[in-house]
Amino acid sequence: MVKRLEQLLKRKDLSVPRGPFNTIHSFVERAEGAVMVDVEGKEYIDFAGAIGTLNAGHCPPKVVEALKDQLDKYIHPCFHVMMYEPYIELAEKLNEITPGNHHKKTFFLNSGAEAVENAVKIARKYTGKKGIISFERGFHGRTLLAMSLTSKVKPYKYGFGPFAPDTYKMPYPYYYRDGRTSDEMDEAILNQFENFFLGEVPSDEIAAILLEPVQGEGGFVIPSKKFVQGIRRICDQHNILLIADEVQTGFGRTGKMFAMEHFDVVPDLMTMSKSIAAGLPISAVTGRAEIMDTPAPGEIGGTYGGSPLGCVAALKVIEMLEEDGLIERANMIGEKVMGTFRKWEERFEFIGNVRGLGAMCALEVVKDRKTKEPDSDLTKKIISTCNENGVAVMGAGLYSNVIRILSPLVITDEQLEKGLNIMEEQLLKINPRVSF
Ligand code: PLP
């Protein structure tokens, strides 16, 4: 008899195009906290967290209960037809917890890309300017404008042009790969903006700078406070809005509610999604009230934006972050993971760099520590053997040589230890370049 998994894989190949990628070649049967169980009963410790969507874990009981209650009341009247209170409650909550004490307003969409697209629309309408600057290695989604603002050719952009006009990229510091000190690199990049405004596009044609406070898909690259504050200063000097894309970094991932708090910088607009609602598809744009109010009624929105289910889930997730100590937990997870990564860095020649902010941790795989030549093949091998052996883990980075940890923050100490042990066993098995 053909096994269920084989049947499912066959059906998938026949019915679904190969474009939507899969990290693990199996199908989930159930999931709870930081563990997924596939259709064959095999357990996976989840270090991928649905690409950073599950800070509150799989099926958190508080969220499930709130969703069931909501299902008994109404599913989707659509905010544009008849309003509902959870939408307002979540907007109020995000206005309260996002950086800055100014008057803010929030509205909702479905995905990270859609939040980015809408933040750009609002910034353009408010400033009356068209240009948007994003950063090299940045990732903002797969829709046309978000893809145009993204900076990795394969697999995100190759063959998908033409791209949206009036989008520009500037460098983003990558201290590990740059020979200069972080101070020198920050200064060089910040100075480059002045040259850009002189040589390429005048600042009075730039509506916004779109910044990931820590680059996610770009490889968990962490800038300095000086750099992020420098970007804020450039925005202030030139009447440019600062949009912080916190789609991957938000909701406790980096050990603070939002990553921008690490840099003491308040953005004008912020995009959020992923871990906002434990896997319900909802995203948000929050920003200064006067900016958010620029589009007239009907100019922004969408049929499903801010669905009641997404709103009630998000309210419970935020309650968990605020009341159940999940943000403190992010810092504890980060310490444990980084402690282990640092030991691996000493031990395995092919680990060129380890880095992390809170529970957003990564290691970078290289062919040679001196040249820092990326080793994407070895990275792929490590990821697939970890996945095969029961740890769901994913890659990242412009050179596809970064392994990133985005485990749910509800992961237990035992699960975290077990996952790291499995990873270590694979590292030992896979590569003989061990120092001791
Ligand atoms: N912005 C950032 C920083 C992201 O990491 C992502 C997704 O990884 C997006 C935007 C796009 O989100 P979505 O895949 O929900 O469209």
Side-chain angles (χ1 to χ4, degrees):
M1 212 174 69
V2 187
K3 289 207 279 191
R4 180 155 168 239
L5 178 56
E6 274 172 48
Q7 277 178 345
L8 283 168
L9 288 168
K10 224 179 247 164
R11 281 169 57 198
K12 183 248 171 195
D13 283 345
L14 282 172
S15 59
V16 179
R18 62 199 180 122
F21 75 105
N22 323 103
T23 301
I24 299 174
H25 295 280
S26 191
F27 285 78
V28 70
E29 184 77 46
R30 60 181 192 282
E32 189 187 339
V35 175
M36 298 184 286
V37 180
D38 78 1
V39 289
E40 300 205 306
K42 182 172 161 182
E43 270 192 19
Y44 295 79
I45 307 277
D46 192 356
F47 280 0
I51 329 183
T53 303
L54 300 174
N55 291 356
H58 291 272
C59 305
K62 281 184 185 177
V63 172
V64 172
E65 201 181 318
L67 288 171
K68 284 180 178 167
D69 282 352
Q70 184 55 47
L71 283 170
D72 285 335
K73 293 180 199 153
Y74 51 87
I75 295 177
H76 195 67
C78 181
F79 191 71
H80 305 311
V81 177
M82 186 179 268
M83 297 177 284
Y84 37 89
E85 191 172 348
Y87 192 109
I88 308 305
E89 209 181 329
L90 183 58
E92 287 168 347
K93 191 73 201 172
L94 291 177
N95 295 339
E96 176 200 322
I97 65 171
T98 48
N101 297 321
H102 49 281
H103 183 198
K104 286 174 236 159
K105 290 195 176 184
T106 293
F107 88 116
F108 300 106
L109 302 130
N110 305 289
S111 67
E114 226 187 323
V116 169
E117 299 253 350
N118 278 275
V120 169
K121 274 174 72 174
I122 295 167
R124 283 178 168 164
K125 188 107 187 175
Y126 176 76
T127 59
K129 306 194 268 183
K130 292 191 179 64
I132 306 292
I133 295 177
S134 59
F135 290 90
E136 290 170 5
R137 287 185 316 277
F139 183 86
H140 302 285
R142 287 179 156 93
T143 51
L144 177 60
L145 177 55
M147 171 179 65
S148 305
L149 293 162
T150 287
S151 174
K152 184 173 179 180
V153 171
K154 282 187 178 177
Y156 304 131
K157 303 175 80 161
Y158 193 63
F160 291 128
F163 301 105
D166 300 296
T167 57
Y168 309 95
K169 308 281 181 325
M170 291 297 280
Y172 185 105
Y174 197 165
Y175 308 118
Y176 166 62
R177 293 213 157 264
D178 192 90
R180 292 168 288 183
T181 63
S182 68
D183 263 1
E184 285 169 349
M185 191 173 191
D186 290 342
E187 225 163 282
I189 295 176
L190 294 171
N191 288 338
Q192 223 170 306
F193 275 82
E194 292 308 325
N195 285 337
F196 176 83
F197 296 145
L198 287 174
E200 292 294 327
V201 185
S203 60
D204 58 13
E205 287 180 15
I206 299 295
I209 296 179
L210 172 65
L211 172 96
E212 287 170 272
V214 176
Q215 289 190 320
E217 304 303 299
F220 285 21
V221 181
I222 308 162
S224 70
K225 196 167 179 171
K226 182 178 167 184
F227 176 75
V228 180
Q229 292 188 345
I231 295 295
R232 175 73 266 183
R233 207 166 36 248
I234 289 169
C235 288
D236 291 341
Q237 281 164 356
H238 296 282
N239 268 327
I240 294 170
L241 299 182
L242 177 59
I243 307 172
D245 184 349
E246 291 251 14
V247 166
Q248 193 156 158
T249 49
F251 301 97
R253 172 54 48 190
T254 66
K256 294 201 184 273
M257 186 64 89
F258 295 104
M260 287 304 276
E261 296 169 34
H262 288 284
F263 308 102
D264 291 328
V265 168
V266 175
D268 300 296
L269 294 168
M270 208 159 107
T271 53
M272 293 156 272
S273 190
K274 289 195 185 270
S275 272
I276 188 174
L280 272 287
I282 178 169
S283 62
V285 181
T286 297
R288 293 183 184 281
E290 70 273 20
I291 301 173
M292 294 296 290
D293 267 333
T294 324
E299 290 186 348
I300 50 173
T303 307
Y304 288 113
S307 84
L309 295 171
C311 291
V312 297
L315 285 162
K316 283 293 165 195
V317 167
I318 296 169
E319 190 183 299
M320 286 175 72
L321 286 158
E322 288 184 328
E323 293 173 16
D324 299 351
L326 282 194
I327 297 182
E328 296 75 43
R329 184 77 189 135
N331 287 311
M332 287 157 73
I333 292 167
E335 271 172 37
K336 169 76 185 159
V337 172
M338 288 308 295
T340 307
F341 277 13
R342 283 193 199 100
K343 281 190 210 141
W344 293 352
E345 189 186 23
E346 279 173 26
R347 203 166 170 196
F348 300 107
E349 283 285 311
F350 54 90
I351 297 181
N353 185 236
V354 298
R355 50 184 179 257
L357 191 61
M360 192 165 182
C361 308
L363 56 84
E364 186 153 344
V365 181
V366 292
K367 287 188 178 152
D368 179 326
R369 276 196 177 172
K370 279 203 191 81
T371 63
K372 300 177 185 175
E373 190 185 340
D375 197 338
S376 62
D377 289 339
L378 182 57
T379 309
K380 216 184 287 169
K381 214 160 135 187
I382 295 169
I383 290 170
S384 65
T385 172
C386 285
N387 289 340
E388 280 158 24
N389 284 279
V391 180
V393 70
M394 296 190 77
L398 183 62
Y399 313 108
S400 306
N401 71 322
V402 173
I403 298 176
R404 57 174 152 172
I405 304 289
L406 285 167
S407 73
L409 305 179
V410 295
I411 193 167
T412 65
D413 289 342
E414 296 72 38
Q415 290 163 343
L416 185 60
E417 184 83 27
K418 185 174 169 192
L420 290 169
N421 284 343
I422 295 173
M423 280 185 82
E424 187 169 307
E425 281 161 24
Q426 307 320 306
L427 294 178
L428 277 166
K429 252 195 269 167
I430 210 166
N431 200 293
R433 286 184 276 154
V434 180
S435 315
F436 59 89

